[in-house]
Amino acid sequence: MTNPPYASGSAPDPNRPQQGPAAPSFQYRPQDPGTVPYGQPTGPVLPPPPTWGQRWGLLPKDDRPRQVTVILQTLWIHLAAVLVVTLLGLTGSVALTIVLGVLAAAVNLVLIWAVAREQLGRFGSDDPRLPLSIGLGALALIALVRLFNVFTLVPALVQITAALLILVLAFTKPVRAWLQDRPGNRPRQAEEPAPGTPLVPQAPPPQWRDPAAPGLQPAGPGIAP
């Protein structure tokens, strides 16, 4: 059997199973221009948590004034100077060097913690700058002892300069406002009574009574009160 002259291709195979109608192809529906693109968050975007350096003052932080960041960075520089002066001070009195080094490092770390964590109110002072000034004074006195040693003269001058710089920055207007605004820098209020504590009984308030009520009428003539 030959193909007709107007037919192209081979003749259909009669043994081949017939295929059903072609399935409809997937049609892409364009996205509305007002919808959110794929992968973009729909809710409010929260800022990333602070890093270790931002939390402890080595790097700037958004909610912290620049002067406070400088104070924390200077405290870290002072701590490095304490470690250097302690190592150089071992050439003299070893016991005195270790005691002064441990004391200065402890005061320095407490100040870093109190300023970075906004906990100057833990010392119970109404003015947050008072405990900061006392700590800086103690660091300056410890550094003065180091001035009498030739090997520790330079790092001791760095310590004194750092303490004076922090003290000056503590009395600037941005730092003063920041210290007063932070709840942790203010002393705690009087403790409220714990739940379950019996309250002191109070007298009931006076009640107004009508004079014309029975039993309250004034006694007339011939009527026994």
Side-chain angles (χ1 to χ4, degrees):
M1 182 176 179
T2 60
N3 295 333
Y6 53 81
S8 62
S10 60
D13 188 2
N15 297 327
R16 184 178 180 182
Q18 297 182 359
Q19 297 179 356
S25 61
F26 174 77
Q27 297 184 5
Y28 173 76
R29 183 179 180 182
Q31 192 175 11
D32 297 335
T35 57
V36 181
Y38 177 75
Q40 183 175 353
T42 57
V45 180
L46 299 177
T51 60
W52 187 90
Q54 292 175 336
R55 186 180 296 108
W56 293 104
L58 290 174
L59 298 175
K61 195 178 176 183
D62 294 338
D63 59 344
R64 182 183 293 157
R66 182 174 56 89
Q67 290 83 353
V68 179
T69 302
V70 174
I71 288 177
L72 289 170
Q73 292 173 346
T74 308
L75 285 173
W76 283 107
I77 295 175
H78 187 280
L79 181 61
V82 168
L83 298 179
V84 172
V85 78
T86 302
L87 293 176
L88 296 177
L90 295 177
T91 55
S93 176
V94 178
L96 180 62
T97 299
I98 294 177
V99 171
L100 293 179
V102 171
L103 181 60
V107 174
N108 206 138
L109 289 175
V110 169
L111 291 180
I112 292 176
W113 170 82
V115 176
R117 305 302 293 178
E118 303 169 6
Q119 296 294 328
L120 287 170
R122 292 291 186 92
F123 300 99
S125 175
D126 294 333
D127 188 359
R129 293 172 297 183
L130 180 59
L132 184 62
S133 302
I134 293 176
L136 293 174
L139 293 178
L141 289 177
I142 295 174
L144 286 176
V145 180
R146 306 290 193 179
L147 295 178
F148 299 97
N149 190 342
V150 178
F151 297 99
T152 60
L153 176 63
V154 175
L157 290 176
V158 173
Q159 289 180 273
I160 297 175
T161 305
L164 292 176
L165 176 61
I166 296 172
L167 188 62
V168 171
L169 291 175
F171 284 87
T172 58
K173 186 176 180 180
V175 176
R176 183 171 64 251
W178 180 82
L179 292 175
Q180 296 295 335
D181 292 341
R182 298 297 176 174
N185 292 331
R186 296 192 296 265
R188 294 183 178 182
Q189 302 296 332
E191 298 183 358
E192 298 180 357
T197 304
L199 300 176
V200 179
Q202 299 179 358
Q207 299 179 359
W208 181 82
R209 304 179 69 177
D210 189 2
L216 295 179
Q217 297 179 358
I223 302 177

